Amino acid sequence: MQVLFPNPFGAAPAPEKDIQALQAHIGFSDAYADFLRTQNGFSLWTMENAADIQPYAKPSPLRGAEKYANFRALNSFAAQDPHYDLEAEQADFLLADWFLNIGSDPAGNPFVEVLHGQHKGKIGSLDHDLFAGAEDLPEFLQNMELSHIAPLSLAEQADALCDPEQGLIWFHARDMRAFTTHCLYCDDSFWGFVVDEPGI
């Protein structure tokens, strides 16, 4: 089934002034700011345990398979939830200079919004095996054979990290609006998966 947004399976919206302050600090897109205003996170577990999901689920023949990315939850902002907290996840995120950590799959691979460069605003998922073992950014860049990008601008660095040859990111949607409109699904056991936006 396709998950429909907005739905009641996120957190209460944060105050507008706090959303604006966080956007100014991090630099995420207006599309993502609108998501925080209208939805503010999403939990498949909350959806699974809801009394009535019919208004928020559209029947679909699609089933999770290897060609789809798995999905678990979207982070929320100022929700006072120790799990999937947007600010806490971003603060601990090694790649926070280039990506906003917006959620995760069951294996810990993060879903992100690109913050700089030609792919700015796009939603993708990162292969955490490529950075989880690095102690710091220099080690990560060395492991990726990208130490030469350190002097470049954030936009140029982001473009290098998003190069398909690196295998770091899998793009799913052109922005957060498209991601919530086209991409999020779950099966009857509430195993989540992401179907790429057509043409991405």
Side-chain angles (χ1 to χ4, degrees):
M1 67 189 97
Q2 182 179 3
V3 180
L4 303 179
F5 290 81
N7 60 57
F9 312 124
E16 177 63 24
K17 63 178 179 61
D18 293 346
I19 294 174
Q20 291 179 359
L22 188 68
Q23 184 179 21
H25 173 64
I26 295 177
F28 53 74
S29 68
D30 290 341
Y32 189 75
D34 287 343
F35 171 78
L36 296 180
R37 294 183 182 101
T38 59
Q39 178 73 32
N40 195 13
F42 171 72
S43 167
L44 276 173
W45 184 87
T46 302
M47 184 176 179
E48 181 179 3
N49 288 277
D52 181 19
I53 68 166
Q54 186 173 0
Y56 312 106
K58 180 180 178 181
S60 168
L62 298 176
R63 295 290 182 267
E66 288 186 6
K67 66 178 181 178
Y68 300 129
N70 293 323
F71 170 79
R72 178 171 57 181
L74 294 173
N75 298 328
S76 57
F77 170 50
Q80 299 181 345
D81 183 344
H83 305 291
Y84 315 119
D85 180 80
L86 179 66
E87 285 186 286
E89 292 295 328
Q90 189 68 3
D92 291 337
F93 190 30
L94 182 67
L95 308 185
D97 286 346
W98 308 287
F99 305 104
L100 175 69
N101 188 338
I102 67 169
S104 60
D105 75 2
N109 296 297
F111 286 88
V112 298
E113 179 182 87
V114 182
L115 296 174
H116 306 282
Q118 63 178 320
H119 300 290
K120 183 176 181 178
K122 287 184 180 179
I123 304 300
S125 55
L126 303 183
D127 182 350
H128 82 305
D129 288 342
L130 296 180
F131 62 87
E135 301 244 345
D136 52 28
L137 284 175
E139 182 178 343
F140 163 71
L141 293 176
Q142 182 177 6
N143 292 343
M144 296 288 289
E145 299 183 354
L146 287 171
S147 297
H148 63 280
I149 73 169
L152 302 180
S153 69
L154 285 174
E156 292 169 321
Q157 292 173 349
D159 289 346
L161 291 173
C162 292
D163 187 320
E165 292 187 5
Q166 296 298 330
L168 177 65
I169 189 165
W170 175 355
F171 287 119
H172 302 300
R174 65 183 181 273
D175 59 24
M176 194 64 183
R177 293 187 189 98
F179 188 63
T180 55
T181 299
H182 299 291
C183 300
L184 290 174
Y185 290 74
C186 65
D187 62 19
D188 292 339
S189 63
F190 292 90
W191 181 268
F193 59 99
V194 173
V195 176
D196 297 346
E197 179 190 9
I200 188 62

Short mmCIF file of all heavy atoms in Angstrom, two decimals, residues 133-167:
data_model
loop_
_atom_site.label_atom_id
_atom_site.label_comp_id
_atom_site.label_asym_id
_atom_site.label_seq_id
_atom_site.Cartn_x
_atom_site.Cartn_y
_atom_site.Cartn_z
N GLY A 133 32.30 3.43 9.47
CA GLY A 133 33.52 3.05 10.15
C GLY A 133 34.57 4.14 10.25
O GLY A 133 35.58 3.97 10.94
N ALA A 134 34.32 5.28 9.61
CA ALA A 134 35.31 6.37 9.63
C ALA A 134 35.24 7.13 10.95
O ALA A 134 34.16 7.45 11.44
CB ALA A 134 35.05 7.32 8.46
N GLU A 135 36.41 7.44 11.51
CA GLU A 135 36.45 8.18 12.78
C GLU A 135 36.18 9.66 12.59
O GLU A 135 35.69 10.33 13.50
CB GLU A 135 37.82 7.99 13.43
CG GLU A 135 38.17 6.56 13.70
CD GLU A 135 38.32 6.26 15.18
OE1 GLU A 135 38.43 7.20 15.97
OE2 GLU A 135 38.29 5.08 15.52
N ASP A 136 36.51 10.19 11.41
CA ASP A 136 36.32 11.61 11.16
C ASP A 136 36.24 11.84 9.64
O ASP A 136 36.38 10.90 8.85
CB ASP A 136 37.44 12.45 11.78
CG ASP A 136 38.83 11.98 11.38
OD1 ASP A 136 38.97 11.40 10.26
OD2 ASP A 136 39.79 12.19 12.14
N LEU A 137 36.00 13.09 9.27
CA LEU A 137 35.85 13.40 7.85
C LEU A 137 37.11 13.13 7.03
O LEU A 137 37.01 12.58 5.93
CB LEU A 137 35.41 14.86 7.68
CG LEU A 137 33.94 15.14 7.98
CD1 LEU A 137 33.65 16.63 7.89
CD2 LEU A 137 33.03 14.37 7.04
N PRO A 138 38.30 13.50 7.51
CA PRO A 138 39.50 13.17 6.72
C PRO A 138 39.62 11.68 6.44
O PRO A 138 40.00 11.29 5.32
CB PRO A 138 40.65 13.69 7.59
CG PRO A 138 40.04 14.82 8.37
CD PRO A 138 38.64 14.37 8.66
N GLU A 139 39.32 10.86 7.42
CA GLU A 139 39.41 9.42 7.19
C GLU A 139 38.36 8.97 6.17
O GLU A 139 38.64 8.14 5.30
CB GLU A 139 39.22 8.65 8.50
CG GLU A 139 39.34 7.14 8.32
CD GLU A 139 39.20 6.37 9.62
OE1 GLU A 139 39.33 6.99 10.70
OE2 GLU A 139 38.95 5.15 9.55
N PHE A 140 37.14 9.51 6.30
CA PHE A 140 36.10 9.18 5.32
C PHE A 140 36.52 9.55 3.91
O PHE A 140 36.41 8.75 2.98
CB PHE A 140 34.81 9.91 5.69
CG PHE A 140 33.80 9.98 4.58
CD1 PHE A 140 33.12 8.84 4.15
CD2 PHE A 140 33.56 11.18 3.93
CE1 PHE A 140 32.20 8.91 3.11
CE2 PHE A 140 32.64 11.26 2.89
CZ PHE A 140 31.97 10.11 2.47
N LEU A 141 37.03 10.78 3.74
CA LEU A 141 37.44 11.23 2.41
C LEU A 141 38.60 10.38 1.88
O LEU A 141 38.64 10.07 0.68
CB LEU A 141 37.82 12.70 2.45
CG LEU A 141 36.68 13.69 2.73
CD1 LEU A 141 37.21 15.11 2.85
CD2 LEU A 141 35.61 13.60 1.64
N GLN A 142 39.51 10.01 2.76
CA GLN A 142 40.62 9.16 2.33
C GLN A 142 40.10 7.79 1.89
O GLN A 142 40.53 7.25 0.86
CB GLN A 142 41.63 9.00 3.47
CG GLN A 142 42.84 8.17 3.08
CD GLN A 142 43.86 8.08 4.20
OE1 GLN A 142 43.63 8.56 5.31
NE2 GLN A 142 45.00 7.47 3.93
N ASN A 143 39.19 7.22 2.68
CA ASN A 143 38.63 5.92 2.33
C ASN A 143 37.91 5.94 0.98
O ASN A 143 37.91 4.96 0.24
CB ASN A 143 37.67 5.43 3.41
CG ASN A 143 38.37 5.10 4.71
OD1 ASN A 143 39.59 4.92 4.75
ND2 ASN A 143 37.61 5.02 5.79
N MET A 144 37.27 7.08 0.68
CA MET A 144 36.53 7.24 -0.56
C MET A 144 37.42 7.72 -1.70
O MET A 144 36.93 7.96 -2.81
CB MET A 144 35.39 8.24 -0.36
CG MET A 144 34.33 7.81 0.62
SD MET A 144 33.27 6.47 0.01
CE MET A 144 32.31 7.35 -1.23
N GLU A 145 38.71 7.88 -1.42
CA GLU A 145 39.68 8.42 -2.39
C GLU A 145 39.24 9.80 -2.88
O GLU A 145 39.33 10.12 -4.06
CB GLU A 145 39.87 7.45 -3.56
CG GLU A 145 40.42 6.10 -3.12
CD GLU A 145 40.68 5.16 -4.28
OE1 GLU A 145 40.33 5.49 -5.43
OE2 GLU A 145 41.25 4.07 -4.04
N LEU A 146 38.78 10.62 -1.91
CA LEU A 146 38.29 11.96 -2.22
C LEU A 146 39.01 13.04 -1.40
O LEU A 146 38.50 14.15 -1.25
CB LEU A 146 36.78 12.05 -1.95
CG LEU A 146 35.87 11.33 -2.95
CD1 LEU A 146 34.43 11.32 -2.44
CD2 LEU A 146 35.95 11.99 -4.32
N SER A 147 40.18 12.72 -0.89
CA SER A 147 40.91 13.71 -0.09
C SER A 147 41.16 15.00 -0.88
O SER A 147 41.26 16.09 -0.29
CB SER A 147 42.23 13.14 0.40
OG SER A 147 42.02 12.04 1.26
N HIS A 148 41.22 14.90 -2.19
CA HIS A 148 41.50 16.07 -3.02
C HIS A 148 40.37 17.09 -3.03
O HIS A 148 40.57 18.24 -3.45
CB HIS A 148 41.78 15.63 -4.46
CG HIS A 148 40.61 14.97 -5.13
ND1 HIS A 148 40.27 13.66 -4.91
CD2 HIS A 148 39.69 15.46 -6.01
CE1 HIS A 148 39.20 13.35 -5.62
NE2 HIS A 148 38.83 14.42 -6.30
N ILE A 149 39.16 16.73 -2.54
CA ILE A 149 38.05 17.68 -2.57
C ILE A 149 38.00 18.58 -1.34
O ILE A 149 37.20 19.51 -1.29
CB ILE A 149 36.68 16.98 -2.75
CG1 ILE A 149 36.25 16.27 -1.46
CG2 ILE A 149 36.70 16.01 -3.92
CD1 ILE A 149 34.81 15.78 -1.49
N ALA A 150 38.86 18.32 -0.35
CA ALA A 150 38.81 19.08 0.90
C ALA A 150 38.88 20.59 0.69
O ALA A 150 38.17 21.35 1.37
CB ALA A 150 39.92 18.61 1.85
N PRO A 151 39.71 21.12 -0.24
CA PRO A 151 39.77 22.58 -0.41
C PRO A 151 38.61 23.17 -1.22
O PRO A 151 38.51 24.39 -1.33
CB PRO A 151 41.10 22.80 -1.17
CG PRO A 151 41.80 21.49 -1.17
CD PRO A 151 40.74 20.45 -1.04
N LEU A 152 37.77 22.34 -1.80
CA LEU A 152 36.71 22.82 -2.68
C LEU A 152 35.54 23.41 -1.89
O LEU A 152 35.45 23.25 -0.66
CB LEU A 152 36.20 21.67 -3.55
CG LEU A 152 37.23 20.97 -4.44
CD1 LEU A 152 36.56 19.86 -5.24
CD2 LEU A 152 37.93 21.96 -5.36
N SER A 153 34.64 24.08 -2.58
CA SER A 153 33.45 24.61 -1.94
C SER A 153 32.52 23.48 -1.52
O SER A 153 32.65 22.34 -2.01
CB SER A 153 32.71 25.54 -2.91
OG SER A 153 32.14 24.78 -3.98
N LEU A 154 31.56 23.79 -0.64
CA LEU A 154 30.61 22.77 -0.21
C LEU A 154 29.81 22.24 -1.39
O LEU A 154 29.50 21.05 -1.47
CB LEU A 154 29.67 23.33 0.86
CG LEU A 154 30.28 23.51 2.25
CD1 LEU A 154 29.29 24.23 3.17
CD2 LEU A 154 30.67 22.17 2.85
N ALA A 155 29.48 23.12 -2.33
CA ALA A 155 28.72 22.69 -3.51
C ALA A 155 29.54 21.72 -4.34
O ALA A 155 29.02 20.68 -4.79
CB ALA A 155 28.31 23.90 -4.34
N GLU A 156 30.80 22.02 -4.56
CA GLU A 156 31.66 21.14 -5.34
C GLU A 156 31.89 19.81 -4.61
O GLU A 156 31.93 18.74 -5.24
CB GLU A 156 32.99 21.83 -5.63
CG GLU A 156 32.85 23.01 -6.59
CD GLU A 156 34.11 23.85 -6.66
OE1 GLU A 156 34.76 24.06 -5.61
OE2 GLU A 156 34.46 24.30 -7.78
N GLN A 157 32.06 19.88 -3.30
CA GLN A 157 32.21 18.66 -2.52
C GLN A 157 30.96 17.79 -2.61
O GLN A 157 31.05 16.57 -2.78
CB GLN A 157 32.52 19.01 -1.06
CG GLN A 157 33.88 19.65 -0.86
CD GLN A 157 34.07 20.14 0.57
OE1 GLN A 157 33.13 20.19 1.36
NE2 GLN A 157 35.30 20.51 0.90
N ALA A 158 29.80 18.42 -2.46
CA ALA A 158 28.54 17.66 -2.54
C ALA A 158 28.39 16.99 -3.89
O ALA A 158 27.97 15.83 -3.97
CB ALA A 158 27.36 18.59 -2.26
N ASP A 159 28.74 17.71 -4.95
CA ASP A 159 28.65 17.11 -6.29
C ASP A 159 29.57 15.89 -6.41
O ASP A 159 29.22 14.89 -7.03
CB ASP A 159 29.00 18.15 -7.36
CG ASP A 159 27.93 19.21 -7.51
OD1 ASP A 159 26.81 19.01 -6.99
OD2 ASP A 159 28.21 20.25 -8.16
N ALA A 160 30.75 15.99 -5.81
CA ALA A 160 31.68 14.86 -5.85
C ALA A 160 31.13 13.67 -5.07
O ALA A 160 31.23 12.51 -5.51
CB ALA A 160 33.05 15.27 -5.30
N LEU A 161 30.52 13.93 -3.93
CA LEU A 161 29.97 12.85 -3.12
C LEU A 161 28.75 12.22 -3.79
O LEU A 161 28.47 11.03 -3.58
CB LEU A 161 29.58 13.38 -1.74
CG LEU A 161 30.74 13.78 -0.83
CD1 LEU A 161 30.22 14.45 0.43
CD2 LEU A 161 31.59 12.57 -0.47
N CYS A 162 28.03 13.01 -4.59
CA CYS A 162 26.83 12.50 -5.27
C CYS A 162 27.13 11.89 -6.63
O CYS A 162 26.21 11.44 -7.32
CB CYS A 162 25.80 13.63 -5.42
SG CYS A 162 25.08 14.20 -3.87
N ASP A 163 28.39 11.87 -7.01
CA ASP A 163 28.77 11.25 -8.28
C ASP A 163 28.35 9.78 -8.25
O ASP A 163 28.69 9.05 -7.31
CB ASP A 163 30.29 11.36 -8.46
CG ASP A 163 30.77 10.90 -9.84
OD1 ASP A 163 30.23 9.89 -10.35
OD2 ASP A 163 31.68 11.52 -10.38
N PRO A 164 27.63 9.33 -9.26
CA PRO A 164 27.18 7.92 -9.26
C PRO A 164 28.31 6.91 -9.12
O PRO A 164 28.10 5.82 -8.56
CB PRO A 164 26.48 7.77 -10.62
CG PRO A 164 26.08 9.15 -11.01
CD PRO A 164 27.13 10.07 -10.43
N GLU A 165 29.49 7.25 -9.58
CA GLU A 165 30.62 6.32 -9.49
C GLU A 165 31.03 6.05 -8.04
O GLU A 165 31.66 5.02 -7.75
CB GLU A 165 31.81 6.83 -10.29
CG GLU A 165 31.57 6.83 -11.80
CD GLU A 165 32.82 7.18 -12.58
OE1 GLU A 165 33.89 7.34 -11.95
OE2 GLU A 165 32.73 7.28 -13.82
N GLN A 166 30.70 6.97 -7.13
CA GLN A 166 31.05 6.77 -5.73
C GLN A 166 30.15 5.73 -5.06
O GLN A 166 30.55 5.09 -4.09
CB GLN A 166 30.97 8.11 -4.96
CG GLN A 166 31.95 9.16 -5.41
CD GLN A 166 33.39 8.73 -5.21
OE1 GLN A 166 33.71 7.96 -4.31
NE2 GLN A 166 34.27 9.21 -6.06
N GLY A 167 28.92 5.61 -5.53
CA GLY A 167 27.99 4.64 -4.94
C GLY A 167 27.50 5.00 -3.56
O GLY A 167 26.99 4.14 -2.83
#
